[in-house]
């Protein structure tokens, strides 16, 4: 809680020195009413928002290393190059006659009069392979020649090799496993003929054999998500749900069923930063990571699924294409069918599709978001049609409505009024703003009405200035600390703020469109940003009930101190959990009346400009210590501190 304008009614002042630290006079008091626990926090309040942006899916969380594996990109050979050793002659053509997969008909034909000719794949900005970590290669193949499969690295070094015999005149699926003999961040895959002849290839795949829980997710990235202990996973994105226009909106049915039959879709983000020299024409969603995999990931992470579906409105910042109201029913049906897909019986309809994909038991699906960042009368007239149909089919599902892309203003207010009227269960709010906004708005929800729809802070991040066009906005500590200050306000108002997720989640360092992001990665490395650690500490120290807490400044020259706090009770461990942000540049001693005895402390602190770049030692990461409190604590400059104190035996 920011210090100014705080009611002093429940203030207890009892400033005692911290054992082992020089006594500094308290500049503020944080009074926590331990005996008066308030609302229960949503047990899954802190979640993550997986958005297919910045190569987050293909080339990111989905562990496939081959780009354009089915030759269905609009530029059919994008990602592929010809391998033509000296004197080797041959042709590479893309065809669609007698295809292996009718829904994805294109394949490649390689013809050569001698061995050595073929094609290679560059991966997603290079294939990251690790010495000793097994890879599994597979392809559909037809033809007379045998195929040599080579993984090549720096200076043309052969990292692994395999051979697959010829298959004759019908398509077969063949596979081989191999293990790289060295680590390489920029490896490439080569497929060459072993002798003269012709082969057709399609649905080519190279995946690590060891993926997160065996479900195809890149292990280090999925582990970074797992370590956040996310309560929910919002997916598959924001604007990709809407599409640039309706033709490339996210259609979930195209993303389930046999993987080779899923049709790729141009990403709405591929030219998002073209004007700044960052153009990613190879950003095509392969849909190999589709809705089944998202639900599976939720299960693997222990997170509640929170799917977002389109409402027949393409991105309102882009084409603004809207389907006619009389054409809305298919979109509503998609929502109803999704309920069947996730939760319906395994022996029929969409539930059967799920079962055939290997999950006969229903998935959890407590939420369904109707639209992403929609606004205007065109959304307001659509929302009730969806909400009514969803409620009639599955009354237990909480329906989430949009408040648009802005954190306030006329459209925002109009949407909130409409969502109240339509009795949305939650309203999704988004705010991307400078760090100062997050500090200034840490009390935003203290003033919100306590009745009506609850709040889903679905996308937020503090945005520092972009240093130059085409350069990412930094993920520095100043931004993360401002988010932490704001999050104390979310937690303090946990009776109405039920869900919250930073955005976006993932960014490929060589293929991003949006910044900042919670986690940066490249083909082999992962960087957990300062904002990541803020999210992680809040999620893993949430507590179960809000405790009334009042933070008050001592009158005097320090009355401008930048302090924010929240308090919760953890009923499982019987601890009081205090979160205090000192966003100021000086240490701040705060009286903590009644807080005496042993405690544990988790802390993040550092220079305002500190970042955790890929491949470098993290400058911002949590430190922990045990201490004994004596009724006050000194919070370092620019710090987030989480104090956990056991309740006394006599306390409730
Ligand atoms: O997270 C980046 C984008 O921000 C999302 O796609 C959209 O919902 C918002 O505008």
């Amino acid at each position: 809680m920011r210090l100014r304008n705080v009611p002093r009614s429940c203030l207890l002042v009892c400033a005692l020195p911290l054992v082992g630290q020089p006594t500094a006079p308290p500049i503020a008091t944080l009074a926590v009413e331990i005996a008066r626990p308030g609302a229960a926090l949503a047990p899954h309040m802190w979640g993550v928002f997986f958005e297919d942006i910045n190569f987050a899916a293909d080339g990111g969380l989905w562990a496939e290393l081959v780009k354009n594996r089915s030759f269905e990109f609009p530029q059919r050979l994008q990602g592929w190059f010809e391998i033509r050793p000296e004197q080797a002659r041959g042709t590479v053509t893309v065809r669609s006659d007698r295809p292996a997969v009718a829904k994805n008909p294109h394949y490649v034909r390689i013809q050569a009069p001698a061995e050595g000719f073929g094609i290679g794949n560059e991966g997603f900005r290079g294939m990251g392979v690790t010495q000793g970590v097994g890879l599994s290669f597979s392809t559909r193949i037809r033809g007379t020649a045998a195929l040599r499969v080579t993984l090549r690295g720096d200076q043309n070094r052969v990292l692994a090799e395999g051979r697959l015999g010829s298959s004759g005149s019908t398509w077969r699926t063949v596979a081989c496993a191999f293990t790289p003999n060295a680590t390489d961040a920029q490896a490439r895959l080569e497929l060459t003929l072993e002798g003269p002849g012709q082969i057709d290839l399609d649905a080519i795949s190279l995946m690590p054999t060891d993926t997160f829980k065996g479900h195809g997710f890149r292990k280090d990235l999925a582990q970074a998500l797992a370590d956040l202990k996310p309560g929910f996973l919002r997916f598959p994105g924001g604007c990709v749900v809407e599409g640039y226009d309706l033709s490339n909106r996210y259609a979930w049915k195209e993303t389930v069923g046999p993987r080779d039959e899923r049709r790729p879709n141009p990403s709405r983000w591929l030219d998002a930063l073209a004007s700044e020299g960052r153009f990613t024409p190879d950003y095509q969603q392969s849909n190999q990571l589709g809705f089944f995999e998202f639900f599976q990931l939720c299960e693997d992470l222990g997170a509640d699924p929170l799917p977002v579906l389109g409402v027949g409105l393409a991105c309102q910042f882009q084409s603004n294409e809207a389907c006619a109201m009389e054409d809305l029913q298919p979109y509503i049906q998609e929502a109803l069918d999704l309920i069947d897909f996730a939760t319906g019986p395994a022996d029929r309809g969409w539930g059967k599709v799920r079962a055939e994909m290997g999950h006969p038991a229903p998935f959890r699906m407590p939420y369904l978001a109707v639209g992403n960042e929609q606004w205007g009368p065109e959304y307001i007239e659509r929302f009730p049609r969806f909400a009514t149909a969803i409620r009639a089919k599955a009354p237990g599902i909480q329906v989430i409505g949009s408040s648009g892309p802005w954190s306030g203003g006329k459209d925002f207010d109009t949407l909130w009024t409409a969502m109240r009227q339509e009795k949305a269960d939650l309203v999704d709010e988004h705010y991307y703003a400078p760090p100062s906004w997050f500090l200034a708005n840490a009390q935003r929800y203290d003033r919100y009405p306590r009745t009506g729809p609850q709040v889903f802070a679905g996308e937020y991040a503090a945005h520092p200035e972009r240093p130059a066009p085409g350069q990412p906005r930094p993920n520095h500590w100043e931004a993360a600390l401002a988010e932490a200050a704001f999050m104390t306000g979310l937690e303090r108002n946990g009776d109405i703020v039920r869900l919250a997720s930073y955005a976006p989640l993932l960014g490929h360092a060589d293929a991003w469109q949006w910044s900042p992001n919670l986690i940066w990665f490249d083909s082999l490395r992962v960087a957990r940003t300062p904002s990541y650690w803020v999210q992680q500490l809040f999620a893993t120290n949430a507590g179960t009930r809000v405790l009334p807490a009042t933070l008050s400044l001592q009158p005097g020259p320090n009355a401008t101190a930048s302090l924010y706090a929240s308090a919760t009770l953890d009923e499982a461990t019987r601890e009081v959990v205090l979160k205090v942000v000192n966003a100021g540049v000086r240490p701040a001693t705060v009286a903590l009346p009644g807080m005496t005895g042993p405690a544990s402390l988790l802390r993040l602190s550092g220079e305002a400009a500190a970042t955790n770049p890929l491949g470098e030692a993290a400058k911002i990461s949590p430190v922990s210590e045990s201490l004994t409190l004596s009724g006050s604590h000194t919070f370092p400059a620019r710090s987030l501190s989480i104090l956990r104190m056991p309740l006394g035996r006599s306390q409730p």
Side-chain angles (χ1 to χ4, degrees):
M1 180 174 287
R2 190 74 212 262
L3 287 175
R4 299 188 188 107
N5 309 323
V6 187
R8 292 176 175 247
S9 49
C10 50
L11 201 67
L12 293 166
V13 181
C14 169
L16 294 173
L18 176 70
V19 170
Q21 282 194 1
T23 312
I27 62 164
T29 297
L30 176 60
V32 181
E33 295 183 73
I34 297 172
R36 223 167 53 84
L41 288 155
H44 287 184
M45 172 167 175
W46 304 108
V48 291
F49 166 39
F50 180 93
E51 171 167 23
D52 194 353
I53 187 172
N54 305 317
F55 278 37
D58 299 302
L61 187 58
W62 191 244
E64 176 61 68
L65 296 173
V66 178
K67 183 166 71 185
N68 189 14
R69 60 189 288 274
S70 291
F71 308 98
E72 298 296 337
F73 280 20
Q75 295 174 43
R76 304 282 182 228
L77 284 173
Q78 194 163 46
W80 294 92
F81 52 91
E82 223 174 72
I83 296 168
R84 184 186 285 273
E86 247 178 87
Q87 291 167 10
R89 286 177 299 120
T91 56
V92 176
T93 47
V94 175
R95 309 176 61 110
S96 57
D97 54 307
R98 295 196 302 129
V101 184
K103 276 193 173 169
N104 277 326
H106 297 98
Y107 62 90
V108 77
R109 173 162 294 175
I110 307 170
Q111 287 171 309
E115 70 170 335
F117 185 80
I119 55 172
N121 191 276
E122 65 190 20
F124 299 92
R125 308 298 189 269
M127 295 181 177
V129 299
T130 307
Q131 181 177 13
V133 174
L135 296 167
S136 160
F137 170 83
S138 66
T139 183
R140 296 194 186 227
I141 187 167
R142 175 174 66 186
T144 52
L147 180 72
R148 178 159 293 277
V149 183
T150 311
L151 189 65
R152 227 178 257 283
D154 193 28
Q155 300 190 337
N156 259 352
R157 173 177 174 164
V158 174
L159 303 174
E161 234 175 350
R163 183 181 178 280
L164 294 163
S166 61
S167 75
S169 58
T170 52
W171 286 103
R172 279 197 306 144
T173 298
V174 292
C176 65
F178 46 53
T179 304
N181 57 25
T183 296
D184 201 308
Q186 297 291 320
R188 57 195 185 277
L189 176 71
E190 296 185 357
L191 306 173
T192 49
L193 299 196
E194 281 250 294
Q198 166 183 312
I199 51 171
D200 297 335
L201 298 174
D202 197 6
I204 299 163
S205 171
L206 183 66
M207 295 272 280
T209 46
D210 190 16
T211 59
F212 187 71
K213 309 246 175 177
H215 289 138
F217 304 104
R218 183 174 140 176
K219 240 183 148 182
D220 54 353
L221 280 175
Q223 190 57 52
L225 303 192
D227 293 345
L228 285 168
K229 300 275 181 291
F232 66 90
L233 178 81
R234 177 178 183 239
F235 60 87
C239 297
V240 297
V241 168
E242 305 153 359
Y244 181 88
D245 55 30
L246 289 175
S247 72
N248 86 326
R249 75 196 169 84
Y250 196 100
W252 73 263
K253 291 179 186 178
E254 300 288 328
T255 75
V256 300
R259 291 213 179 95
D260 291 353
E261 293 180 12
R262 302 184 196 170
R263 291 200 47 73
N265 190 19
S267 169
R268 170 246 175 272
W269 291 107
L270 63 81
D271 58 2
L273 277 189
S275 63
E276 297 188 23
R278 297 197 56 81
F279 182 42
T280 46
D282 54 341
Y283 199 171
Q284 306 285 325
Q285 295 162 243
S286 73
N287 291 327
Q288 300 296 291
L289 167 47
F291 259 41
F292 178 86
E293 289 76 18
F294 280 121
F295 279 104
Q296 183 64 66
L297 179 62
C298 290
E299 195 169 273
D300 292 346
L301 295 172
D304 281 339
L306 194 164
V308 189
L309 293 184
V311 291
L313 289 176
C315 181
Q316 290 174 272
F317 288 116
Q318 300 277 346
S319 69
N320 206 9
E321 185 184 357
C323 77
M325 283 305 280
E326 55 269 29
D327 297 333
L328 193 61
Q329 191 52 36
Y331 293 89
I332 296 172
Q333 193 57 44
E334 272 183 30
L336 303 182
D337 290 343
L338 181 64
I339 297 171
D340 281 336
F341 177 74
T343 65
D347 59 353
R348 56 184 183 275
W350 285 100
K352 191 165 178 216
V353 177
R354 179 195 72 237
E356 284 166 359
M357 293 183 74
H359 204 286
F363 287 116
R364 283 176 52 67
M365 192 170 126
Y367 309 104
L368 187 47
V370 174
N372 169 47
E373 243 174 22
Q374 319 318 144
W375 71 87
E378 55 275 50
Y379 177 63
I380 291 174
E381 65 179 340
R382 281 162 164 74
F383 180 82
R385 297 261 313 262
F386 281 82
T388 305
I390 294 166
R391 287 188 181 123
K393 184 174 176 74
I397 290 183
Q398 297 196 53
V399 180
I400 301 176
S402 166
S403 62
W406 302 284
S407 58
K410 196 163 160 283
D411 284 317
F412 176 89
D413 292 342
T414 307
L415 283 158
W416 255 101
T417 305
M419 292 303 117
R420 268 182 204 293
Q421 201 171 316
E422 298 303 334
K423 298 193 170 30
D425 295 293
L426 292 131
V427 173
D428 183 9
E429 296 193 356
H430 295 179
Y431 11 80
Y432 297 104
S436 54
W437 183 93
F438 284 84
L439 298 179
N441 281 273
Q443 292 177 324
R444 174 182 176 95
Y445 295 108
D446 296 354
R447 299 180 289 268
Y448 258 48
R450 285 3 235 185
T451 55
Q454 295 177 313
V455 174
F456 171 26
E459 293 185 26
Y460 62 90
H463 277 198
E465 288 285 308
R466 192 188 284 282
Q471 296 290 312
R473 296 182 196 93
N475 270 100
H476 56 39
W477 177 230
E478 182 190 345
L481 192 60
E483 289 152 8
F486 182 76
M487 288 161 70
T488 62
L490 301 183
E491 186 174 81
R492 215 177 35 250
N493 291 285
D495 59 326
I496 51 162
V497 182
R498 305 301 283 174
L499 305 169
S501 46
Y502 179 100
L505 184 59
L506 296 170
H508 191 307
D510 303 322
W512 57 272
Q513 296 81 40
W514 188 284
S515 60
N517 300 296
L518 198 64
I519 298 168
W520 286 94
F521 65 94
D522 62 14
S523 68
L524 281 180
R525 301 174 300 178
V526 173
R528 302 176 186 206
T529 61
S531 296
Y532 174 98
W533 289 116
V534 167
Q535 294 291 324
Q536 207 266 355
L537 289 189
F538 269 75
T540 53
N541 294 279
T544 52
R545 310 264 309 258
V546 180
L547 287 176
T550 306
L551 183 55
S552 319
L553 268 187
Q554 315 292 31
N558 288 314
T560 57
S562 190
L563 287 166
Y564 307 82
S566 58
T568 62
L569 177 66
D570 189 331
E571 292 159 302
T573 60
R574 288 188 49 79
E575 286 173 305
V576 173
V577 186
L578 289 188
K579 299 187 181 74
V580 178
V581 169
N582 177 7
V585 293
R586 277 186 294 277
T589 299
V590 177
L592 302 172
M595 304 284 171
T596 56
S600 65
L601 171 70
L602 284 160
R603 174 170 289 155
L604 292 169
S605 60
E607 294 301 317
T611 58
N612 291 348
L614 266 179
E616 289 178 30
K619 295 197 184 66
I620 305 291
S621 59
V623 292
S624 63
E625 66 179 91
S626 300
L627 44 77
T628 303
L629 285 178
S630 301
S632 74
H633 186 69
T634 300
F635 296 94
R638 288 184 297 264
S639 64
L640 161 65
S641 304
I642 299 186
L643 285 163
R644 299 188 72 111
M645 281 146 296
L647 285 177
R649 273 208 211 97
S650 58
Q651 282 166 316

